[in-house]
Every structure is written in C-alpha cells, then in structure tokens.
Amino acid sequence: MKIAYHWLLQYLPLGKAGWPHILEAEEIAQILTSVGLEVEQLTEFSSIPGALEGLVVGEVEAVWKHPDADKLQLTRVKISDNRSLQIVCGAPNVAVGQKVVVALPGTTLHPLKGEPFQLKTTKIRGQLSEGMLCAADEIGLAEDHSGILVLDATAKPGSPLSHYIPVFQDRVFEIGLTPNRMDAMSHIGVARDICAYVNHHHRLQGTLQWPSIHTFPNTGLAPSPIQIEIVDPDACLRYAGLLIEDVQVGPSPAWLQAALESIGIKPINNVVDITNYVLHECGQPLHAFNADAIIGNCVRIRKAQPGEHLLTLDGKDRSLYPTDLMICDAQQPMCIAGVFGGVASGIQENTRRVFLESAVFHPASIRQTSLQHGLRTEAALRFEKGVDISRVLFALKRAALLIRELAGGQIRYQLVDLYPHPPAPRQIRLTKHYLFSLSGKNYPQQAVENLLEDLEFELISANEQEWIWQVPPFKHDVKQPADLVEEIMRIDGLDQIPIPSKMHFSPAHHRFRDRENLQEKLSDYLVAKGFSEIYTNSISNSQLYTPYPQENIVHLLNHLNAELDVLRPSMLENGLACVAFNQHHRNEQIAFFEFGKTYHQTGIGEYAEQEFLSIWLAGDHHPQWWAPAPSNSPPSWFFLKTIVDNICRMAGISLLEFSEQASHPRLNPCLGLHMQGEPLGILGAVDTQTGHLFDMQLPVYYAELAWHKLVQAQANTRVQYQEIIPYPVVRRDISFLIDREIPYAHIHMTIASAKVPYLIDWRLIDLFESAKLEAGKKSCTLSLFFQHPERTLTEKDVDQSLQQMIQTLEQQLHIRLRQGNNP
C-alpha cells in the first residue's frame, strides 16, 4: 500500500496542541514501522519525471545554418545577462527572439519514451554544442515532438523552468500492510496511528484532522427523485446515494492528478478522480453513476438473475453468477456491487447529472464475486476486509463537496441513506491484571485511556480493576481483551517492555508429544540414510489426478490460479514433480521424504483429511570411485522395502506384512503394507505412463505409510531396557524347498508366530529358482541365530529348537529339507 507524505500531513495536528510544525518523512517511517505498519520503501515522486532539474529558460539570439548538415542549425542562446551558449538544433521551428527550454551539460533528461540519459558538451558534425533545446516530450511534459517547446515571452533567461511550469514533488511510503489492518488502508487511517503514537510518547493531546464537511447543505433540499431499494439486506449492509446536477466533467486540477499519480493511480476525469481520492483519503469506496442512464429513476440492490450479462468498464461482456450482488436500475444491472462498474452507467464527457453511491457490502459476498470474475479492484479489497460503516455519509458528503468545488456540481436534493440492521457496538472488558500478565508492563491508567481514545475506542466505564471499552466500527480485528492489549503494546512500543534482571519459569513437561517425537526420530533416520525432506503444496493441478475417482476430489471454488484448483488426493504426484525437476537439473541421486496430508470428499459437503509419510527413491546412489563397487545397480525397491521396514520397527511395528493384492493407478507393481491385518500403506514402482507424463527417467520407487497408524503403534509400544547378553550366539543355516507361490513374508510370519525357544533372529540369505528343481518349487536358505539369556547354549538345546521350527514349517508351509542339511 502506498501513502503520500504531503497528503498524509494534512490530517496531522502539526503546530497545534504542542505538536511540532513538521514531521520529516524518515521520522514518520520509523513511527509507522514501530506501530506495525512496516515501511518497506520510501521513494521520491515527481509529477514530471526528473522534476525539471537542470532545465532553464533561454532566449534565442541568433540562428544560422550548420555548415555540414542540411537539417541542422546553429543557435546562440542567452541563459543569463553575461552568458550565451552555442547549441546545435534540428527543430524546424527555432527562431530568433524565442524563449526556449535549455538543458545544460550534466542534466539528466527523462523523455516520455526511452531511458533517461545525461547530456554532455559535444561536437555534432564538427560544431560545438553546449546544451540542448528541448521539445515537450524530451522533458516528460507531453508527447509533442514537432518542434522545440516555446515559452511565454515574459519568461526570464536563466530562470529555472520549474518557476513557469509547476512540478508536484512528494515522497511515498510503501507499507507492507498485514491482512488484519484494514483500518490503515487509507491516509486518515495511517494518520490516526501516527497521532496516537506522538501523543503517547510526547504526552501531547493533538487530535486527528478530519476534512471539514460543515458546508454540506442539510436544509432546503428537495426529496431525491431517485428511489433506492435494498432487495438483499444480508449482502448490502448499508447504502447511501446522492444526486448531483450541473456537473462539468473534465480534467482534474493538477494537485488532484499529482496526488493520485503519487500512489500509482491514473487520473481519468474530475468526478472519477474525486471518488478515488476520497477512497484513499478515508478508506470508503465510492461509485459515480451517470444519473441519466438510470432507467426508471430507481436503484435496486439485488442478486443477479439467470442469464444476465454486464458490459464492464474494461470492455468485457461478463456473464453474471447468481451469487453476484448487483446495483441495478428498474430493468437491468448497472454495476457489480463493490467490485466494478458498467459501461452504460459510467461517467462520460457529456454527463451532467451524477448519482453518487457510498455503501457497505458483506465481505464474503464481495470476495466471492471478486474471485469469480478475477477482478481484484481497490474497492473490492477494502470491502472484503471490512470498511467503517459509520463513515458512509462522511465519504459521500466529502466527495459531493469536492464535486461542487472542482466540477461545478449543484446539490439540490436530499441524500438517501438506507441502513436496515445497524449492529450493536462491540464492547470488551479489559482488566488491569490481564493487561499486565499479557504485556509484562504496568501501564498508568490515564496513559492507557488516552492511548485507546486516540485510536477512537470509547471508554464506557472504568474502575480500579478494569475498563469497559467500545470498539470503533473500523476495528474489525479487535474482538477480545488480547486484541486491546495488542493495540496498547504496538503504540507504546514492543521495545518498551522492561526486561527484569531475573526471570523465573518452570520447565514444561508434555506427556502427549508422540507425534512430534516420532516425526523427529524418523526424520533423523531418513536424513542419516541420505534422504532429503521436501515440502510440497497441498493445492495442486486437477489434471494430475485424472486416474483417481473424480467424485472424491476436493475442488476449490475460489482458486486464484487456474493450475492450482484442487486439494491433492494423493502425495505421489507433487513428489514426482520434484523428482523430475531434479533429474532435469542433473541431480541423479534422489531420495525424498515428506510428511503431509491428502484430502477427499466423502459426501455432499463432507470432507476428510489423511496424513502420510511418503518416500520417493530414484537414481544411482553408489558413488563412482576407482575400486569396483559391491553392486553397480541402482537401488531397487528391496532397498526401499528395507527403509520402510526399519521405519515401522522404529514406530513399534515388529511384524510388517506384505500383500500383492494392492493396486494404485500410477504404480506397477504395487505391494500393500499391513499391520496385524490392517492396511498400513503401499510400496511400488512408478509405471511407464506416469513416467512419460512427468518426463522422468525410470525407475522411480514410492512408498507411503499412514501416519496416524504409525503414531498409534508408537503410543502403544513400551520401551524396555535389558542388559546386553554376554553369552555367544549360535548360527544354523538350513535350505529347503517350498511352493514358488508362497512369499517370504509368509515364512517370516510363520517363524515369528512359532515362538521357537532361544531363536532371536533369522534372515533369508539365498533364494534359488531353476528348472532343475522340482516343478513349482523354489529353494530358500535361512540363517538362524540362537542365544540363551543366562547361559551358553548346548548342541542339544540348539537341535531341539531347530527341530521345533522345522516341524512348524513342514506342517504349515509344507517345506521339504534339501540334502546336506544337518539339523
């Protein structure tokens, strides 16, 4: 947001009630930043680029032809009583006796077209040129380049050009306004905070200087011939209108144009410029209609009807939505309420009767319409954040008086003000104990009262323990005592909070931090394994999710970007975009993980969120070096399976089950992960079609785990500590034949459920399949590890345990030991 320095000063009590006669721009910038209106930049503004610096009046004393150029002439130009310059000029209209604009060497010119450049003394076709005679476009005045600019004959040679052509200069604050500070979206709103700050810190009593509207006629006016009807009072909270006649539409005066240009607004005409000026002065949006275009002398505020269109001021014929609030006449829409005007009812050069609107519309209605039509106007931005409903009439009268002053308008009719449901003022109880406990500072009672009253809070009652404050209608963000404390602290200054020499606190112990602790533990593990954590946007492109059930996808109604229109139903796709991006930038070792949510529509108006830990793996993770690597193949999904298995063990899931029955629209093959029969996640490889869609180099592997189940498993796991067993571990290897269709997971679960004495671990060390084996069989070799916690195992102990395990496998999985085993 932009605030002009000299414009702002109009509303401060400078020179009154002990106030200084001037506040420098740098001092104001410090104040604004201190009170929460951070000044991001302080820039210079000039109504004419370059502010005509270095340009003086000259008088042409002589003109003669350039000896070496047909289209150039030599001139002698007087710039003071005792100094003349020789200047080469190509303008056809230069003549002796003219008063002209001279740019001296060293001057930087700012032409309307092209970049600024610095003038130097030079030779043109062999002739010395000690300056430049300027055309209007060369100094930023106008687009005329037909010849040099000729000044009035009374201009004195050597005088600065700015003495004859007015230049408006100012300094502009660019403020990074937070969304809750709509009360500061105007010059008066900013001045209010400055006034409160200076009064509080210098113990002064200056008051905010509101523009006077006492000359507005309140008597002797005829009833308005234009009738107003609010059809939808829920969307239109207040509507006021005034008919002004005998208006002369034309250019605004230079001061008004310069004020608007200083904050980046292009002047249009005096009537429209006045509405924009008042908007940025007090924050109340206004709209001016051509009263002769209002059919039936009726203004009706209603929702758009099916099939209605409106040709808006940007030349677009817009189809209207049933939720759009419209300003209509007796037959058709004239304007999108609070957002954008229509061409048919707009102010034209021949407009003589103006109907001026000042209104307040419901923020939700304006925001929805603004986003649906892609119209983020100044008025819409203010309405959707909430404006001061009590200043509707002030803004209307202020603009009407300016139209009377600058456009000759006549106020002959009464204004119409419809206010269907005035809200009850909001009151907040603030205790002194709460103020101290939240701020850490003891504020004097009178200082608090003066400060809040300067911010236009009204004191309802006060005693030794508390205050009752009435919140002004423009403070939409002040809803509870903490907000009042914030107002006090930001004006007093957060740097004014005293820091005691001793601080006492009790360390907090949180019992229920399972989620955070587990996330930190798993993140540390994955990072140690070479993974990088990523954060992707939960808002994504619907085109990425065409394989998913469309009825379950959550679509955004008011998306700001056409490519970000849904909440992601899967974590996979956004991560694949990161994988593709890194592959395209020659990062070939890719290992990502992310904790995130997916979103699903479970019914009409019903939605669900699910949290996942997702992992992506691609590329060759074996570094190249002079010695041969143990394996030159990229990591397979068996490597990712190991990562997933370790994650589950760290979460307290000792037995992870795998199922080939799982499916995913973008993974092939795909394994289902289960915990005690319940689905836990999936593990798989990205299919070829998806690889082409993301322009990726395959293989890419993916796994996702239901986060809430990991957390639940961790919460149900008790960590037990035991002494390290000092007795030796005995190893036995066995090889056996088993049906080819039986996965190793079944073998693993069978051994785990058998509870074989002394068996502490087992591993699959060899898997062999060959046509030489019995048809339909495969060979598995297991390493088994036995250990007794209190003594050294005997050969008999190990043999008995081994026989028990073999019998279990024979009975349940029908294995057959291969020759050479010696159990």
Side-chain angles (χ1 to χ4, degrees), residues 549-617:
Q550 295 300 299
E551 65 274 11
N552 295 337
I553 295 180
V554 181
H555 292 266
L556 300 181
L557 297 179
N558 296 325
H559 52 86
L560 297 179
N561 188 325
E563 295 184 354
L564 298 175
D565 57 344
V566 297
L567 293 174
R568 62 184 176 198
S570 167
M571 298 282 292
L572 172 63
E573 284 72 15
N574 285 353
L576 292 182
C578 295
V579 172
F581 179 85
N582 279 267
Q583 288 182 343
H584 295 165
H585 288 77
R586 306 291 295 174
N587 181 15
E588 298 175 355
Q589 298 179 357
I590 297 172
F592 296 149
F593 71 96
E594 179 180 13
F595 297 91
K597 294 181 179 180
T598 61
Y599 306 85
H600 310 273
Q601 184 168 350
T602 57
I604 299 177
E606 297 179 354
Y607 304 92
E609 298 179 2
Q610 292 181 291
E611 292 185 83
F612 290 96
L613 166 58
S614 296
I615 302 173
W616 297 262
L617 188 68

Side-chain angles (χ1 to χ4, degrees), residues 668-774:
N668 185 25
C670 179
L671 287 180
L673 309 178
H674 298 268
M675 174 186 66
Q676 297 179 353
E678 295 185 5
L680 178 63
I682 56 173
L683 169 67
V686 175
D687 62 27
T688 304
Q689 183 178 358
T690 302
H692 290 319
L693 175 65
F694 286 89
D695 191 19
M696 292 186 307
Q697 181 179 352
L698 298 178
V700 177
Y701 303 98
Y702 175 72
E704 70 177 23
L705 300 168
W707 179 241
H708 72 282
K709 293 189 177 181
L710 293 179
V711 174
Q712 183 179 3
Q714 172 73 15
N716 295 334
T717 301
R718 293 187 60 186
V719 178
Q720 295 182 342
Y721 298 90
Q722 65 182 23
E723 184 180 356
I724 296 176
I725 299 175
Y727 302 103
V729 176
V730 178
R731 172 176 170 174
R732 291 283 189 273
D733 292 347
I734 63 170
S735 296
F736 54 85
L737 296 177
I738 191 171
D739 289 345
R740 185 176 298 174
E741 290 77 13
I742 298 177
Y744 172 73
H746 287 186
I747 301 174
H748 183 91
M749 289 186 291
T750 301
I751 297 175
S753 60
K755 297 182 180 180
V756 177
Y758 317 131
L759 180 64
I760 61 171
D761 196 12
W762 57 94
R763 300 171 190 168
L764 177 67
I765 62 172
D766 184 60
L767 180 65
F768 178 67
E769 295 183 17
S770 172
K772 297 180 180 180
L773 296 177
E774 184 179 338

Side-chain angles (χ1 to χ4, degrees), residues 142-182:
E143 296 184 357
D144 183 16
H145 193 69
S146 59
I148 60 172
L149 180 63
V150 179
L151 304 175
D152 187 87
T154 60
K156 182 179 178 181
S159 301
L161 183 60
S162 58
H163 289 181
Y164 302 95
I165 299 177
V167 180
F168 293 90
Q169 292 181 278
D170 207 342
R171 305 185 73 181
V172 179
F173 305 98
E174 294 191 23
I175 298 176
L177 199 65
T178 53
N180 64 313
R181 291 304 310 278
M182 59 71 48

Side-chain angles (χ1 to χ4, degrees), residues 35 181 183 189 191-197 199 448-458 470-472 474-475 484 486-491:
V35 300
R181 291 304 310 278
D183 60 293
R192 182 188 294 113
D193 275 8
I194 297 174
C195 194
Y197 181 94
N199 281 343
V448 171
E449 293 175 1
N450 291 341
L451 185 154
L452 289 177
E453 287 174 347
D454 283 338
L455 293 175
E456 298 188 26
F457 289 85
E458 183 180 348
Q470 182 170 300
V471 181
F474 55 82
K475 281 288 187 182
L484 280 177
E486 180 188 359
E487 292 293 298
I488 296 169
M489 293 180 66
R490 71 178 183 86
I491 298 298

Side-chain angles (χ1 to χ4, degrees), residues 428-537:
I428 298 178
R429 173 178 170 268
L430 175 64
T431 66
K432 296 179 181 179
H433 174 74
Y434 182 78
L435 173 59
F436 172 74
S437 64
L438 198 59
S439 69
K441 181 177 179 179
N442 275 315
Y443 291 94
Q445 178 171 338
Q446 192 60 50
V448 171
E449 293 175 1
N450 291 341
L451 185 154
L452 289 177
E453 287 174 347
D454 283 338
L455 293 175
E456 298 188 26
F457 289 85
E458 183 180 348
L459 181 60
I460 303 302
S461 65
N463 55 44
E464 295 181 357
Q465 303 299 325
E466 65 180 23
W467 299 275
I468 304 294
W469 291 98
Q470 182 170 300
V471 181
F474 55 82
K475 281 288 187 182
H476 296 273
D477 63 319
V478 178
K479 300 178 180 179
Q480 56 187 343
D483 298 328
L484 280 177
V485 176
E486 180 188 359
E487 292 293 298
I488 296 169
M489 293 180 66
R490 71 178 183 86
I491 298 298
D492 181 63
L494 297 177
D495 56 346
Q496 299 298 315
I497 303 298
I499 300 178
S501 58
K502 294 182 179 180
M503 299 183 69
H504 303 276
F505 64 93
S506 299
H509 175 67
H510 299 282
R511 295 179 54 194
F512 306 104
R513 286 181 51 87
D514 294 331
R515 298 171 63 88
E516 293 80 3
N517 293 337
L518 180 60
Q519 181 172 341
E520 184 175 354
K521 181 167 68 173
L522 297 184
S523 297
D524 290 343
Y525 166 74
L526 288 169
V527 169
K529 286 293 185 180
F531 284 77
S532 298
E533 185 172 6
I534 62 174
Y535 293 89
T536 60
N537 195 349

Side-chain angles (χ1 to χ4, degrees), residues 306-484:
E308 284 189 320
H309 290 249
L310 178 67
L311 182 63
T312 50
L313 292 172
D314 57 359
K316 295 183 179 180
D317 186 14
R318 299 181 183 272
S319 298
L320 303 177
Y321 297 90
T323 55
D324 293 340
L325 186 66
M326 307 301 298
I327 310 298
C328 309
D329 56 24
Q331 297 182 3
Q332 60 191 8
M334 299 187 296
C335 167
I336 304 177
V339 179
F340 212 41
V343 171
S345 61
I347 301 299
Q348 308 295 331
E349 290 184 4
N350 59 353
T351 298
R352 294 295 175 263
R353 300 171 72 241
V354 172
F355 179 73
L356 195 59
E357 164 197 286
S358 180
V360 176
F361 307 106
H362 196 283
S365 173
I366 297 302
R367 179 169 177 80
Q368 181 179 15
T369 296
S370 174
L371 292 175
Q372 284 176 336
H373 292 284
L375 293 170
R376 308 297 290 156
T377 61
E378 292 283 349
L381 290 174
R382 284 162 173 78
F383 279 129
E384 67 185 35
K385 295 179 184 298
V387 298
D388 185 357
I389 201 168
S390 67
R391 294 292 178 181
V392 166
L393 295 185
F394 168 83
L396 184 65
K397 293 178 179 180
R398 169 71 166 154
L401 291 176
L402 286 173
I403 291 175
R404 186 174 70 176
E405 176 186 351
L406 304 180
Q410 297 299 313
I411 304 173
R412 300 190 178 104
Y413 301 101
Q414 300 171 1
L415 61 81
V416 180
D417 179 25
L418 299 185
Y419 197 175
H421 306 295
R426 187 186 310 121
Q427 294 186 357
I428 298 178
R429 173 178 170 268
L430 175 64
T431 66
K432 296 179 181 179
H433 174 74
Y434 182 78
L435 173 59
F436 172 74
S437 64
L438 198 59
S439 69
K441 181 177 179 179
N442 275 315
Y443 291 94
Q445 178 171 338
Q446 192 60 50
V448 171
E449 293 175 1
N450 291 341
L451 185 154
L452 289 177
E453 287 174 347
D454 283 338
L455 293 175
E456 298 188 26
F457 289 85
E458 183 180 348
L459 181 60
I460 303 302
S461 65
N463 55 44
E464 295 181 357
Q465 303 299 325
E466 65 180 23
W467 299 275
I468 304 294
W469 291 98
Q470 182 170 300
V471 181
F474 55 82
K475 281 288 187 182
H476 296 273
D477 63 319
V478 178
K479 300 178 180 179
Q480 56 187 343
D483 298 328
L484 280 177

